[in-house]
Amino acid sequence: MSTVKIFSDSTSDLPQGWKEKYDVGIVPLYVVFDEGTYKDGVDITPEEVYRKVAAKGSLPKTAAPSPADFMAAFAPVIESGNDIVYISLSSALSSTYQNALLAAGEFPEGRVEVVDSETLCGGIALLVMKAVRAAAKGHSAAEIAELLKTARKHMDTQFVVDTLDYLYMGGRCSGMQNFIGSLLKIRPVLKLIDGSIVPVSKVRGKKEKAVEQMLQNALADIKQMDKELLIVAHTLAEEDAQYLKSALQQATAAQEIAVIEAGCVIGSHCGPQTVGLMYLRES
């Protein structure tokens, strides 16, 4: 009987220890500056991205792995007799999912299951861990894929950015929204809904007030919250992340609350000092 290997892409921002412990395959996205193209988390760090953005005054482009990249990653696993479940960045945000589907079509039917996470960063990481546990219990690739498609409907992914500049430069908010937000010190709490980023709360004042609002949004869900694993993600915002972790521990008594640092692709769209939290609701 074949085993199932779990794959994701670099926007899952899995801690290195998790990748190694659970043997999760990672296919990196690309970060593209004028002077060169870099593999997310392989050839460049988030700190280097922020330094380049500050020096240039413009964001890099980001690019999905090609079908050939996916085929190169998947082929050795398939050749060894094992199956694959690949969990992608939201298809509403990237062509990563479509390229993985094209690659999967080059292998025998059913050997590679591709699942659109409909989320990003720690939201993907939550689905990866759910897939890892299911694979360890002996579930087939098809069974794991169906499990994840159900789970993603119960995902909550929220985050607060320190500045709208990155979202503006990346085309995810208008110049007027950026100007008014900066002028009035409005800090939105952003959420992934149907795979796309939308504001769900608008807080005027310091970033700490927006972080607190995000926490209260989550705690309003406390009875439905799956407390097996919660994730706090950040980009150079360790203090905010540790505050959220501590507050969530006290309020939820969750089994595990992991703090992860977002990588280059997520950071290049949200900017430094972003913090977010991700959890699943019990189905």
Side-chain angles (χ1 to χ4, degrees):
M1 178 176 169
S2 64
T3 58
V4 179
K5 181 177 174 70
I6 307 305
F7 272 84
S8 188
D9 55 63
S10 58
T11 65
S12 63
D13 298 320
L14 286 181
Q16 186 61 35
W18 290 10
K19 297 176 199 173
E20 295 172 356
K21 181 177 180 179
Y22 303 110
D23 189 30
V24 178
I26 298 294
V27 183
L29 274 75
Y30 293 95
V31 179
V32 184
F33 285 98
D34 291 341
E35 76 280 5
T37 298
Y38 306 88
K39 289 183 177 180
D40 181 10
V42 177
D43 305 322
I44 192 168
T45 66
E47 291 82 358
E48 289 171 325
V49 169
Y50 305 140
R51 284 197 295 269
K52 287 178 180 288
V53 170
K56 295 172 181 291
S58 61
L59 293 182
K61 292 183 173 69
T62 56
S66 68
D69 290 332
F70 283 110
M71 289 177 65
F74 295 162
V77 177
I78 298 302
E79 289 168 4
S80 70
N82 295 317
D83 295 333
I84 289 170
V85 173
Y86 167 73
I87 307 164
S88 81
L89 172 62
S90 169
S91 62
L93 302 174
S94 169
S95 61
T96 301
Y97 171 72
Q98 286 81 4
N99 288 354
L101 276 180
L102 290 172
E106 297 300 314
F107 298 99
E109 185 175 355
R111 300 297 305 280
V112 180
E113 294 283 349
V114 178
V115 178
D116 180 358
S117 74
E118 298 183 354
T119 185
L120 49 70
C121 194
I124 305 175
L126 282 170
L127 294 179
V128 166
M129 295 309 299
K130 187 170 281 287
V132 163
R133 290 190 288 267
K137 292 177 181 177
H139 288 283
S140 70
E143 289 169 340
I144 296 170
E146 288 306 309
L147 172 73
L148 297 176
K149 289 172 185 176
T150 298
R152 70 187 179 191
K153 299 174 185 175
H154 305 285
M155 177 70 67
D156 195 285
T157 299
Q158 299 181 66
F159 59 100
V160 172
V161 298
D162 187 50
T163 171
L164 292 172
D165 289 348
Y166 274 66
L167 291 172
Y168 165 60
M169 287 190 288
R172 298 194 185 277
C173 79
S174 70
M176 184 58 69
Q177 286 173 319
N178 187 40
F179 173 73
I180 293 174
S182 300
L183 183 67
L184 300 180
K185 301 296 183 184
I186 294 173
R187 299 180 184 275
V189 178
L190 303 168
K191 191 170 183 176
L192 264 287
I193 297 178
D194 296 329
S196 298
I197 300 171
V198 298
V200 291
S201 304
K202 293 183 179 179
V203 181
R204 187 171 180 178
K206 293 184 178 180
K207 177 187 170 190
E208 289 78 8
K209 290 177 65 177
V211 172
E212 185 63 30
Q213 180 62 58
M214 178 173 64
L215 174 62
Q216 295 308 315
N217 291 350
L219 293 181
D221 247 359
I222 192 168
K223 290 183 179 179
Q224 290 77 37
M225 192 180 287
D226 183 340
K227 300 175 184 66
E228 185 172 20
L229 173 63
L230 315 181
I231 291 182
V232 177
H234 71 97
T235 59
L236 304 183
E238 184 71 33
E239 186 174 337
D240 289 327
Q242 291 300 330
Y243 164 72
L244 285 171
K245 178 179 180 179
S246 177
L248 287 165
Q249 281 176 327
Q250 291 179 23
T252 69
Q255 293 178 38
E256 181 179 1
I257 302 173
V259 173
I260 68 175
E261 186 167 359
C264 300
V265 168
I266 298 300
S268 70
H269 288 289
C270 297
Q273 297 299 314
T274 294
V275 64
L277 56 88
M278 300 85 181
Y279 60 91
L280 286 162
R281 297 182 189 87
E282 292 178 337
S283 54

